[in-house]
């Protein structure tokens, strides 16, 4: 153990005795670890954002619409489908054993004004009173509108956190009246901060109003969708099949006719996200593998040079009793030290870039990623250094001492 420790110290000193050469050798490893860590931070951040966004949709929520969220054969086919009707929600709720809440929804963009303050491009969601039980809205203050207010088309509104901050920075908005597309609505509730959906659309910049109260500002010809909540304990796919059968009956479709509606759910986003993540991972893996290959070859070349430069030193050490495994460990340690220091530099650069990335994108550096990056560095060092180290260990001491 004493000889092995001495070999490690010699290897460590030799790395720092040739700082410039060692740093240039590390560059490939630095780029490789930087690539894998940046890719990992991006994917980790996207994963976190995606899961938070999926919680906003709800994994037990179905949406019956004219268009599918993704894919599809012919846009014109979907465009010519019959529109959703307001009564579909009530009829599905009456006939279904697997649906607990249902609402018709209309959505549009608009401007909201309160006195001299205004918010542009607000997402306006019009639905019945059951929406509060379907989606994961959390109230910060006030309440949601009631069944009676919904039925009577009351001009009441629940506003998002961002709208409250912009229109009412220094006062409680409950009871105040705001203008949505020129019509007055009384604020009865505010939502807690929710963040952005997939890092893009902000749920904090939205307003929720009763469905019937939206007709004067949206019109009755606006596209509708039906949003459904699956009963607790019921398999979502089972509920989806039941809803499809009910919709076919409501639409009067014959057994030979195709569905003229789409039932969308969270799973569609998951499938698309998996494909995107695989693409990012594949590209990142290719760049990382290439950089580490170049870095590994660089370490191997330098180690061969190091063995040649120190041939006489190796011969003297072996003549004094150093065994093959001690010499092998010395040069293998040198290769691993170069690789690990390169990996640590790559991680330090990544850490400094994460804060910058978060201003434009989503990134998250986890301890698991740090461990993986350092492990990759060690493996690269071992694979790159094993051949030169074996060559050094097998040198004949007499020939090595005579080497000039």
């Amino acid at each position: 153990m004493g000889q092995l420790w001495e070999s490690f110290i010699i290897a460590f000193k030799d790395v720092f005795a040739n700082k410039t050469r060692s740093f240039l050798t590390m560059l490939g490893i630095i780029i490789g670890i930087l690539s894998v860590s940046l890719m990992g931070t991006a994917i980790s951040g996207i994963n976190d954002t995606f899961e938070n966004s999926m919680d906003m949709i709800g994994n037990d929520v179905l949406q019956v619409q004219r268009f599918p969220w993704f894919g599809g054969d012919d846009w014109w086919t979907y465009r010519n489908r019959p529109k959703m009707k307001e009564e579909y929600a009530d009829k599905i709720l009456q006939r279904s054993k697997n649906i607990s809440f249902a609402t018709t929804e209309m959505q549009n963009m608009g401007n909201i004004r309160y006195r001299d303050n205004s918010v542009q491009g607000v997402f306006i969601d019009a639905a019945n009173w059951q929406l509060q039980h379907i989606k994961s809205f959390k109230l910060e203050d006030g309440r949601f509108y009631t069944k009676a207010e919904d039925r009577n088309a009351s001009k009441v509104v629940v506003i998002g956190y961002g709208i409250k901050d912009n229109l009412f920075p220094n006062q409680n908005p409950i009871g105040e009246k705001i203008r949505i597309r020129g019509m007055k609505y009384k604020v009865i509730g505010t939502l807690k901060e929710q963040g952005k959906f997939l890092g893009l659309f902000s749920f904090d910049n939205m307003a929720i109003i009763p469905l019937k109260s939206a007709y004067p500002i949206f019109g009755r010809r606006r596209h509708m969708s039906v949003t459904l909540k699956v009963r607790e304990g019921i398999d979502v796919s089972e509920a989806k099949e039941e809803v499809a059968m009910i919709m076919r009956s409501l639409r009067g479709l014959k057994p030979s006719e195709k569905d003229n509606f789409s039932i969308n759910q969270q799973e569609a986003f998951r499938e698309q996200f998996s494909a995107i993540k695989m693409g990012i991972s594949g590209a990142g893996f290719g760049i990382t593998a290439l950089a580490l290959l170049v870095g590994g070859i660089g370490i191997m070349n330098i180690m061969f040079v190091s063995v040649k430069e120190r041939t006489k030193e190796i011969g003297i050490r072996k003549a004094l009793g150093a065994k093959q495994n001690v010499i092998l460990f010395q040069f293998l340690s040198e290769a691993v030290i170069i690789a690990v220091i390169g990996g640590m530099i790559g991680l330090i650069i990544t850490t400094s870039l994460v804060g910058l990335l978060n201003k434009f994108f989503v990134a998250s550096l986890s301890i698991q990623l740090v461990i993986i990056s350092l492990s990759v560095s060690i493996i690269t060092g071992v694979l790159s250094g094993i051949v030169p180290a074996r060559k050094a260990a097998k040198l004949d001491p007499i020939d090595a001492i005579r080497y000039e």
Side-chain angles (χ1 to χ4, degrees), residues 59-79:
N59 58 12
D60 57 353
V61 174
L62 300 175
Q63 289 200 306
V64 186
Q65 298 168 314
R66 291 169 69 194
F67 291 86
W69 282 346
F70 300 101
D73 301 324
D74 184 1
W75 184 85
W76 282 106
T77 300
Y78 302 126
R79 177 68 179 79

Side-chain angles (χ1 to χ4, degrees), residues 270-327:
R270 291 195 178 279
E271 290 173 1
Q272 291 297 313
F273 176 69
S274 296
I276 294 170
K277 190 166 68 171
M278 284 182 64
I280 296 173
S281 299
F285 178 78
I287 295 170
T288 300
L290 183 61
L292 290 176
L293 177 63
V294 172
I297 292 172
I299 292 176
M300 187 180 292
N301 285 336
I302 290 300
M303 292 310 301
F304 276 124
V305 172
S306 182
V307 170
K308 201 162 192 176
E309 287 177 345
R310 293 153 66 189
T311 300
K312 183 173 285 189
E313 175 193 324
I314 295 168
I316 293 171
R317 290 196 69 196
K318 294 189 78 172
L320 293 174
K323 295 181 179 180
Q324 283 191 9
N325 64 334
V326 174
I327 301 298

Side-chain angles (χ1 to χ4, degrees), residues 37 41 43 87 102 120-121 140 171 192 216 237 258 284 293 312 318 333 358-359 366 386 388:
S37 55
T41 56
I43 290 177
E87 61 265 24
Q120 310 296 317
E140 181 182 57
Q171 70 179 98
K192 289 184 178 179
S237 59
K258 292 183 179 180
L293 177 63
K312 183 173 285 189
K318 294 189 78 172
S333 296
N358 275 320
K359 294 181 179 179
S366 63
I386 190 67

Side-chain angles (χ1 to χ4, degrees), residues 106-398:
M106 289 197 302
Q107 297 164 338
N108 207 343
M109 305 299 289
N111 302 331
I112 294 182
R113 177 177 295 276
Y114 175 72
R115 295 180 182 174
D116 295 330
N117 297 330
S118 65
V119 181
Q120 310 296 317
V122 174
F123 181 75
I124 304 168
D125 193 358
N128 71 26
W129 63 276
Q130 298 185 61
L131 186 70
Q132 61 183 312
H133 302 293
I134 297 174
K135 297 191 177 179
S136 56
F137 297 131
K138 295 179 180 178
L139 288 170
E140 181 182 57
D141 196 11
R143 61 178 178 84
F144 210 82
Y145 46 83
T146 64
K147 185 176 182 179
E149 288 172 325
D150 175 36
R151 185 172 57 248
N152 296 328
S154 299
K155 298 294 191 295
V156 292
V157 60
V158 178
I159 60 174
Y161 186 87
I163 296 174
K164 184 199 75 171
D165 265 7
N166 282 290
L167 296 185
F168 306 95
N170 300 310
Q171 70 179 98
N172 187 344
I174 303 300
E176 299 294 328
K177 290 188 176 181
I178 61 176
R179 287 187 177 273
I180 301 177
R181 287 192 165 188
M183 295 193 67
K184 287 186 177 182
Y185 279 78
K186 181 181 178 182
V187 179
I188 60 170
T190 60
L191 299 175
K192 289 184 178 179
E193 188 172 7
Q194 297 180 90
K196 292 184 177 181
F197 179 72
L198 297 179
L200 302 172
F201 165 76
S202 176
F203 272 96
D204 296 322
N205 195 40
M206 71 179 299
I208 308 169
I209 59 177
L211 179 65
K212 288 181 172 59
S213 77
Y215 291 146
I217 57 176
F218 285 177
R220 287 181 176 270
R221 297 181 61 84
R222 185 74 191 169
H223 292 308
M224 295 181 178
S225 62
V226 178
T227 306
L228 310 168
K229 177 84 166 180
V230 178
R231 288 187 186 278
E232 190 174 349
I234 299 296
D235 184 78
V236 177
S237 59
E238 179 184 339
K240 187 175 180 179
E241 290 179 7
E242 184 195 41
V243 171
M245 294 299 295
I246 296 171
M247 279 298 301
R248 288 184 64 85
S249 174
L250 292 174
R251 288 284 176 91
L253 295 175
K254 297 177 181 178
S256 58
E257 292 180 308
K258 292 183 179 180
D259 293 344
N260 56 6
F261 56 88
S262 294
I263 302 178
N264 297 308
Q265 63 181 115
Q266 186 190 99
E267 193 61 32
F269 278 103
R270 291 195 178 279
E271 290 173 1
Q272 291 297 313
F273 176 69
S274 296
I276 294 170
K277 190 166 68 171
M278 284 182 64
I280 296 173
S281 299
F285 178 78
I287 295 170
T288 300
L290 183 61
L292 290 176
L293 177 63
V294 172
I297 292 172
I299 292 176
M300 187 180 292
N301 285 336
I302 290 300
M303 292 310 301
F304 276 124
V305 172
S306 182
V307 170
K308 201 162 192 176
E309 287 177 345
R310 293 153 66 189
T311 300
K312 183 173 285 189
E313 175 193 324
I314 295 168
I316 293 171
R317 290 196 69 196
K318 294 189 78 172
L320 293 174
K323 295 181 179 180
Q324 283 191 9
N325 64 334
V326 174
I327 301 298
L328 184 141
F329 181 77
Q330 175 186 333
F331 285 91
L332 194 59
S333 296
E334 189 173 329
V336 172
I337 289 168
I338 291 173
V340 170
I341 293 175
M344 292 174 68
I345 293 173
L347 284 171
I348 291 170
I349 296 173
T350 300
T351 303
S352 64
L353 289 176
V354 166
L356 180 63
L357 284 173
N358 275 320
K359 294 181 179 179
F360 309 97
F361 194 61
V362 180
S364 174
L365 183 62
S366 63
I367 188 65
Q368 291 89 346
L369 184 58
V370 172
I371 294 170
I372 290 171
S373 298
L374 291 178
S375 299
V376 169
S377 300
I378 293 170
I379 292 170
T380 303
V382 171
L383 294 177
S384 304
I386 190 67
V387 175
R390 283 172 62 87
K391 180 181 178 181
K394 290 182 177 181
L395 285 175
D396 182 85
I398 297 175

